[in-house]
Amino acid sequence: MKRARKNSGITGKFVRLALTSTLLAGGMAGGTMAQGSPAGTETTPASAPIPDPVFAQPYIDIDEWRDAPVRHRYVHGGFKGTDTRFSFYFPPKGQYQGRFFQHFTPAPDNENLAQQPTSPANDKISFSISSGGYFVETNGGGPAVAGFGSKDPTIGAYRANAAAAQYSRVVALQMYGGKRPYGYAYGGSGGAYRTVGSMENTRGVWDGAVPHVLGSSMAIPNSFTVRMHAMRLLEGKFPQIVDAMEPGGSGDPYAGLNAEQAAALREVTRMGFPLQSWFGWKTMGIHGFAALYGGVVMADPGYFTDFWTKPGYYGFDHPESFTGYRLQHKAAIAALVTGADAKRQKLETSVTNGKTTGNVDDSYAAMQGKEAQYVVAIRLSSPPPAVQFLGGDLIVLSGAAKGARLTLSRIDGDTAVFGIVDPAVAAKLAPGDEVQVDNSNFLAAQTYHRHQVPEAEFKVWDQFRGADGKPIYPQRPMLLGPLFTKATAGSVPEGNFEGKMILVESLWDREAYPWSADWYRARVDKHFGAKADDISGCGSPTTPFMATATRRRTRSIPSVMCLCLTRPCATWRCGSKRASRRPPPPATAMTTGRSPSRPRPPHAAASSRWSF
């Protein structure tokens, strides 16, 4: 966890530098507005924003000055007839320079996140005010409009945020006067999808954006499933894999692996998982798949039967691979465990990573009142056999909740801990109910990506195509990646937007693979053609680069790649007080994060820029 916090700080540093570059690209847009710039000197958006009738009635219910973390005016409110809420953090007039910053969370969340205790690197209020702007955050329309299965995902994807951004300008002009404030949006992971979707689906709302660790339209759920497949088969082998990739190591992570293990490592590496990132194998867990699993089952329930019963699927073709892994354990519920119980027992209840610190997940640690009584786990009448358990289901066989399936995140002795479940369904459980702990679906999900072969532009899927270019495995009726992407971003990114943008990617990212940056760059090139450099967040075309965070121990901090849409913009070194430029690195360093002086291992394939 110490390393994770360190990397988070470094990512924050690069995002801040990128935001600064976006400002510089616009000539410090708005930098003199508070001092009364001459008429006609400001840059105005190419298109005026279109009013959204759903958000026609804004209101303010809190308006006060606060002194923490820095002096600011706090404004809270929402829009009548909606669940959308917003928070604005305005600096004193003397500090205002005509701009605002808006952060997008991975999914609609909470409009008060910036007020929670955090590290200096993640203090969004102080960053915004020290940069001459105010800060905007929203709840994205609330959880009811979030993501896959939502009746109108566009509200959570960009419309609620756009409405808040526009209304913040009204309040800012009343407070400061002057001209239209410039707006800059940023967000990571799912927030990167929402940042790109916001830029592509609106006009005149934001002037620049810095999405970071963006995935492609095929990342979900495939970047998680292929990783889970490797995690299952390579358990116990990761120490030697990590050692091979360390400075001074052999450079051959395949040494000592059997055929199935080597194939799994090669498969996940060719999909884009950086070999060096296995250093976090103890704590990485299944990450976002905990939240995605329900959507996959909803969209393609037949897959989880076909996997075990039809040729061409790994469960049918190689049942021996699952000996000692598949769990189908029947028992009765001995006791229910609430959030309050879990906190007292120091029971690990987090569902998005593999933490083993014994701390309760933040959502439970902060529980008060009735939420503390939510059922978060059950104690079984008999403990399941000890197997590797990346996730599973609790199938209810009797009682008021009979027929229900509740996701499980882990097994701790005789205790089964829930993942993301409907608390109303969990509340129907009672001691004595017959249940079955079953991880069959999670095992099946681990090769789902093989049955999701997209169009030819996604070269990492070539490993699942035959010589004739056709898929070698049975394909599912639909591709889920674009559906999940659209549910998050409001549309599948096409590279069509107004304003400036810098895309920041980590060369060691194990969810948003580094090649995703190149995927979006190609879409921008396709849409804008020769004019693509005009919307670069760098202000002018520059040579390709790789921004790296350097330490004496090269494993300490992953490299970061920053693309100003079509071209990378500058090179920053960790700890440096100013940006510097350097010639483009060799392709091996650019695309794999490997030191140019270190040879590629013998298994590396030279035929594809992104293959190994």
Side-chain angles (χ1 to χ4, degrees):
M1 297 308 295
K2 183 180 295 184
R3 186 185 307 280
R5 288 193 295 270
K6 183 183 292 184
N7 289 349
S8 175
I10 293 301
T11 300
K13 175 177 289 189
F14 277 98
V15 171
R16 290 186 182 194
L17 285 167
L19 282 167
T20 302
S21 289
T22 309
L23 291 172
L24 292 170
M28 290 301 290
T32 59
M33 292 173 66
Q35 287 71 42
S37 56
T41 61
E42 70 171 310
T43 302
T44 57
S47 302
I50 300 174
D52 192 329
V54 173
F55 303 97
Q57 299 183 65
Y59 66 86
I60 293 174
D61 53 17
I62 301 176
D63 191 339
E64 62 189 24
W65 282 92
R66 297 179 176 179
D67 293 320
V70 293
R71 180 73 172 165
H72 68 277
R73 176 190 173 195
Y74 175 64
V75 175
H76 178 277
F79 296 89
K80 293 180 180 179
T82 76
D83 293 326
T84 299
R85 302 292 183 269
F86 57 74
S87 289
F88 305 150
Y89 306 83
F90 294 100
K93 191 170 183 178
Q95 294 178 255
Y96 179 63
Q97 296 180 22
R99 64 180 67 95
F100 72 84
F101 300 92
Q102 187 169 1
H103 177 252
F104 297 154
T105 53
D109 200 320
N110 187 297
E111 77 278 13
N112 298 307
L113 292 178
Q115 302 173 39
Q116 298 180 5
T118 186
S119 65
N122 291 313
D123 183 351
K124 299 176 179 62
I125 299 174
S126 297
F127 162 72
S128 299
I129 290 176
S130 66
S131 300
Y134 61 89
F135 183 63
V136 175
E137 65 177 342
T138 80
N139 68 346
V145 300
F148 196 82
S150 168
K151 292 182 179 179
D152 189 353
T154 63
I155 293 177
Y158 60 88
R159 288 170 60 193
N161 283 323
Q166 284 297 93
Y167 183 59
S168 79
R169 288 190 168 100
V170 174
V171 180
L173 290 173
Q174 291 172 350
M175 179 177 179
Y176 303 115
K179 304 275 179 96
R180 167 190 175 275
Y182 290 81
Y184 302 94
Y186 66 105
S189 188
Y193 283 114
R194 297 176 75 206
T195 301
V196 170
S198 295
M199 290 291 285
E200 292 200 3
N201 289 290
T202 66
R203 291 293 182 267
V205 179
W206 297 279
D207 302 280
V210 181
H212 53 102
V213 293
L214 174 73
S216 75
S217 62
M218 285 299 298
I220 307 172
N222 304 297
S223 63
F224 300 104
T225 62
V226 69
R227 175 170 112 190
M228 290 162 60
H229 178 62
M231 288 171 66
R232 177 176 71 87
L233 293 173
L234 296 171
E235 185 182 30
K237 298 293 184 180
F238 286 120
Q240 67 189 56
I241 293 171
V242 172
D243 183 69
M245 300 308 298
E246 284 280 79
S250 69
D252 182 10
Y254 296 87
L257 305 183
N258 64 33
E260 186 180 29
Q261 291 168 338
L265 182 58
R266 188 169 289 109
E267 182 174 336
V268 69
T269 305
R270 286 175 174 172
M271 284 290 282
F273 189 100
L275 277 166
Q276 294 89 342
S277 277
W278 287 117
F279 78 84
W281 64 272
K282 290 182 179 179
T283 58
M284 68 174 61
I286 64 173
H287 201 264
F289 190 76
L292 300 171
Y293 169 64
V296 177
V297 175
M298 181 192 307
D300 193 2
Y303 169 80
F304 298 94
T305 299
D306 293 348
F307 178 83
W308 301 103
T309 61
K310 291 186 177 181
Y313 294 87
Y314 206 60
F316 180 87
D317 293 343
H318 297 282
E320 72 283 355
S321 177
F322 301 93
T323 302
Y325 290 100
R326 193 176 186 185
L327 178 63
Q328 294 175 302
H329 177 73
K330 292 184 178 181
I333 296 178
L336 304 178
V337 180
T338 65
D341 295 332
K343 184 175 182 180
R344 286 192 296 269
Q345 299 170 18
K346 296 185 178 180
L347 177 66
E348 173 60 58
T349 58
S350 62
V351 297
T352 59
N353 61 35
K355 290 192 299 183
T356 57
T357 61
N359 295 325
V360 180
D361 181 54
D362 291 342
S363 61
Y364 295 129
M367 279 185 173
Q368 296 180 7
K370 66 177 183 179
E371 291 186 352
Q373 299 308 310
Y374 286 167
V375 178
V376 300
I378 61 168
R379 190 160 56 81
L380 299 166
S381 59
S382 61
V387 300
Q388 182 199 57
F389 192 84
L390 295 178
D393 293 293
L394 182 76
I395 304 172
V396 185
L397 304 177
S398 68
K402 182 179 179 179
R405 298 179 74 108
L406 294 91
T407 306
L408 298 175
S409 64
R410 61 178 51 81
I411 303 293
D412 186 355
D414 62 357
T415 302
V417 181
F418 291 142
I420 298 175
V421 301
D422 183 346
V425 176
K428 295 180 180 180
L429 298 174
D433 289 352
E434 296 293 326
V435 295
Q436 177 171 307
V437 177
D438 195 324
N439 67 346
S440 299
N441 281 7
F442 269 72
L443 293 174
Q446 293 171 12
T447 49
Y448 191 76
H449 52 279
R450 297 181 179 182
H451 310 279
Q452 291 281 286
V453 178
E455 56 270 29
E457 71 171 306
F458 293 94
K459 299 299 183 183
V460 298
W461 264 271
D462 284 352
Q463 60 183 306
F464 307 122
R465 296 184 176 101
D468 59 358
K470 296 180 180 180
I472 59 178
Y473 297 110
Q475 295 300 292
R476 305 308 298 170
M478 67 184 79
L479 295 176
L480 296 194
L483 298 180
F484 276 108
T485 301
K486 186 174 182 180
T488 304
S491 63
V492 176
E494 293 294 341
N496 175 19
F497 60 88
E498 288 183 357
K500 303 287 185 179
M501 187 185 293
I502 296 176
L503 173 58
V504 181
E505 297 281 308
S506 168
L507 291 177
W508 278 19
D509 200 297
R510 52 203 185 207
E511 281 87 39
Y513 296 151
W515 59 261
S516 302
D518 189 60
W519 168 80
Y520 191 61
R521 177 206 57 78
R523 297 219 150 193
V524 172
D525 276 354
K526 182 178 180 180
H527 180 79
F528 286 98
K531 296 181 179 180
D533 285 327
D534 295 338
I535 42 82
S536 166
C538 302
S540 61
T542 57
T543 57
F545 89 114
M546 179 177 67
T548 59
T550 59
R551 289 286 180 98
R552 289 191 180 275
R553 294 181 65 225
T554 60
R555 172 179 141 191
S556 295
I557 300 173
S559 298
V560 175
M561 177 166 56
C562 175
L563 296 182
C564 294
L565 303 184
T566 59
R567 302 178 192 276
C569 55
T571 298
W572 297 295
R573 287 188 177 274
C574 176
S576 173
K577 295 184 178 180
R578 64 177 182 174
S580 61
R581 298 188 185 278
R582 66 177 176 182
T588 54
M590 183 71 169
T591 60
T592 70
R594 183 180 295 109
S595 170
S597 63
R598 182 169 183 168
R600 302 181 71 178
H603 64 276
S607 59
S608 171
R609 180 182 179 190
W610 299 106
S611 295
F612 292 81

